[in-house]
Amino acid sequence: MESVIILIFIIGYLSITLEHPLKLDKTVPALIMASLIWAFLAVGFHLGWFDVIDTYENAYSIFPNGTALTGDALHEAEHGFDNTLLHHLGKTAEILIFLIGAMTIVEIIDLHRGFEVLKGAVRTKSKKKLLWIIGILAFILSAIIDNLTATIVLITLLRKLIVNRDQRLWFAAMVVIAANAGGAWSPIGDVTTTMLWIADNVTAMGLIKFVVVPSIICFVLPFVIASYLPAFKGEIIVDTTEDEEAGRLLSSKTMLFLGLGMIVSVPIFKTITHLPPYMGMMLALGVVWLVSEYIHPEEDFTKERKHLYSAHKALSRIEISSILFFLGILMAVAGLESLVYGVSESGDPVGTLRYVAEILNGAVPNQDVVVVLLGILSAIIDNVPLVAASMGMYEAPTDSLLWHFIAYSAGTGGSMLIIGSAAGVAAMGMERIDFIWYLKKITWLAFIGFAAGAIAFVLLTGGTMGS
């Protein structure tokens, strides 16, 4: 019966990967997959088809050694199953609450036209200079407000700067590379790094220490090469009239710097209090929400229009489907992690994902190669389930080089295809970027950056085998 659960996961995974050809929102298969996996786990557990293991490596069975449990022993086994489910739900909820808080703050900033202030940074007619300005903004912003949001903000900015769509496509594509590279070294820059950070696999300072240099190389090298391409030679006309108008609004500047500052304060809050990151994000949201109640764009400061700038309006703009997708995929992976599928070399029961990891390590002894392959796969398969699976596959201490290399590979590998990352999908949707066009024009640049960053990581750290 274990094969049925694995088959459900494979079918669900394929449905998520083929989201665009199937014209089906990936949230749907994620939720169905998670529900069915846990339903089969529950039924199979009570019928004695298979055992369940929790994150503390305690195995539970209704029929140990083929004999049915009764009384207190049966109650303890059932309680163990329930606690396993609740534990995974709690860990998943930590990530979801964190993301909801961050997304709400970003929406509040946007409602107050905070991001329009950034347009004032663009004061050039040179395509090459504009490329670097946009790239640096994407790299820095993605580390603060996440790569997806940074991509949306900067493509919106590009639309107001570059009228010619053919020219704009090149800049939008390069934003994807810079945003993914910038998000890889920050605990709040990408969903995958956030997952690793909340699970205590990495620390904020550890990410900066080990991943920032490879990420910079991953960003800079493609941009250096692109600077010599014909697409980035010559000049464009930049209209800064609206930039100056937005820059004069006190509310826009206030909400921009307050919002970004509060998001950046979350890792500091965790370091000082040792509380989970979502507590710091709740505090940050509360402060930004409080200020947003009393500050509005000066020209619209009326009670009738106040609701247009409220946190309630911001909450209504959050993509709840994305939150539900994370819920589904993380709980589905947790189900595989909890299903006892074999025994380790020491004879202890191990979950399905850990069992796969041991087989993989036997087939490919070099762990660095495995992580690089994971990065390449993340260009084809969503990196969230890939990282979630890797977290269940491997056991390593906090700030192990393994986790940092996974953060880099999964975060930047998706740039190699336009559908390989949330930032790429957003750019594809906003600018109707053709898959084949991106494959021909941009993929080779993204691959050079990814490969150079991976080599730099191994050379600077000695690779994951030394951790």
Side-chain angles (χ1 to χ4, degrees):
M1 287 301 296
E2 291 91 342
S3 56
V4 174
I5 292 179
I6 295 173
L7 182 62
I8 292 172
F9 184 81
I10 292 173
I11 294 174
Y13 212 119
L14 287 174
S15 300
I16 292 170
T17 304
L18 300 174
E19 174 189 18
H20 297 289
L22 293 176
K23 293 183 170 62
L24 178 67
D25 192 306
K26 61 185 178 183
T27 304
V28 176
L31 291 175
I32 294 175
M33 173 174 60
S35 302
L36 288 179
I37 285 176
W38 279 99
F40 272 88
L41 268 175
V43 172
F45 176 76
H46 286 91
L47 293 178
W49 292 339
F50 37 69
D51 302 339
V52 170
I53 187 171
D54 62 19
T55 53
Y56 304 105
E57 298 187 351
N58 298 316
Y60 301 98
S61 174
I62 296 291
F63 294 89
N65 302 319
T67 304
L69 297 176
T70 57
D72 293 340
L74 175 62
H75 177 74
E76 183 178 350
E78 291 178 334
H79 189 62
F81 180 91
D82 293 339
N83 282 345
T84 299
L85 174 58
L86 287 174
H87 178 81
H88 286 298
L89 179 60
K91 287 299 180 183
T92 300
E94 287 186 17
I95 297 173
L96 302 187
I97 293 172
F98 182 93
L99 292 175
I100 290 173
M103 293 166 72
T104 305
I105 291 175
V106 169
E107 291 296 342
I108 291 175
I109 296 173
D110 191 45
L111 284 173
H112 287 78
R113 298 172 63 189
F115 293 117
E116 292 189 19
V117 177
L118 297 175
K119 291 194 294 243
V122 181
R123 303 289 183 184
T124 180
K125 295 181 180 180
S126 168
K127 289 183 181 179
K128 184 179 293 188
K129 288 183 179 179
L130 180 60
L131 170 68
W132 282 100
I133 290 173
I134 292 295
I136 292 171
L137 279 175
F139 187 82
I140 296 174
L141 270 180
S142 63
I144 301 174
I145 60 174
D146 81 60
N147 50 11
L148 171 60
T149 307
T151 301
I152 294 172
V153 168
L154 290 172
I155 289 181
T156 302
L157 171 59
L158 286 170
R159 283 178 170 178
K160 298 179 180 180
L161 293 175
I162 306 174
V163 178
N164 188 302
R165 179 177 174 272
D166 291 335
Q167 292 180 353
R168 195 168 62 240
L169 289 183
W170 283 90
F171 287 90
M174 296 305 293
V175 163
V176 173
I177 294 177
N180 285 335
W185 62 271
S186 167
I188 52 180
D190 187 273
V191 175
T192 54
T193 56
T194 299
M195 289 163 53
L196 291 166
W197 182 48
I198 290 178
D200 283 328
N201 290 328
V202 299
T203 63
M205 292 308 298
L207 274 172
I208 295 172
K209 177 182 177 182
F210 295 113
V211 185
V212 69
V213 173
S215 294
I216 290 174
I217 293 173
C218 180
F219 152 59
V220 170
L221 190 56
F223 271 68
V224 169
I225 297 172
S227 297
Y228 294 95
L229 296 179
F232 298 104
K233 291 182 178 179
E235 294 186 347
I236 59 170
I237 298 175
V238 179
D239 182 8
T240 58
T241 304
E242 293 185 16
D243 305 338
E244 294 173 356
E245 179 185 347
R248 287 197 300 265
L249 295 178
L250 176 62
S251 59
S252 299
K253 290 181 178 180
T254 301
M255 295 310 299
L256 173 66
F257 294 117
L258 174 66
L260 297 184
M262 291 308 301
I263 292 176
V264 172
S265 73
V266 174
I268 300 173
F269 180 88
K270 181 182 185 296
T271 302
I272 295 173
T273 64
H274 301 287
L275 288 171
Y278 69 88
M279 294 299 296
M281 187 57 75
M282 288 172 61
L283 174 62
L285 174 59
V287 172
V288 175
W289 192 328
L290 173 66
V291 175
S292 72
E293 290 290 309
Y294 298 99
I295 187 170
H296 311 91
E298 288 79 354
E299 73 275 17
D300 285 338
F301 191 66
T302 61
K303 290 183 179 179
E304 292 75 15
R305 298 181 63 83
K306 181 179 178 180
H307 71 281
L308 296 176
Y309 307 98
S310 69
H312 297 285
K313 178 71 172 180
L315 284 166
S316 70
R317 294 172 54 170
I318 290 177
E319 290 190 26
I320 296 300
S321 62
S322 297
I323 299 296
L324 291 175
F325 166 71
F326 297 139
L327 171 64
I329 196 66
L330 292 175
M331 288 304 294
V333 170
L336 278 188
E337 187 180 345
S338 302
L339 171 64
V340 173
Y341 196 77
V343 295
S344 63
E345 294 179 358
S346 60
D348 298 322
V350 293
T352 306
L353 296 178
R354 191 68 48 77
Y355 187 73
V356 171
E358 293 191 359
I359 295 176
L360 193 59
N361 286 336
V364 186
N366 191 321
Q367 209 168 58
D368 293 328
V369 174
V370 174
V371 177
V372 169
L373 290 175
L374 183 146
I376 295 173
L377 271 177
S378 70
I380 305 170
I381 302 171
D382 196 288
N383 59 358
V384 171
L386 274 180
V387 172
S390 69
M391 290 166 64
M393 288 167 62
Y394 297 108
E395 277 189 348
T398 301
D399 273 342
S400 166
L401 293 176
L402 170 65
W403 300 126
H404 291 295
F405 201 13
I406 287 175
Y408 168 80
S409 293
T412 61
S415 300
M416 286 184 279
L417 292 178
I418 190 63
I419 61 170
S421 65
V425 172
M428 185 182 189
M430 293 180 71
E431 289 296 337
R432 301 189 305 278
I433 298 176
D434 184 70
F435 178 89
I436 302 299
W437 179 90
Y438 189 96
L439 185 66
K440 291 179 178 178
K441 307 291 187 180
I442 307 297
T443 294
W444 67 278
L445 288 170
F447 175 76
I448 289 174
F450 169 76
I455 292 171
F457 183 94
V458 173
L459 293 177
L460 291 171
T461 64
T464 61
M465 302 301 289
S467 61

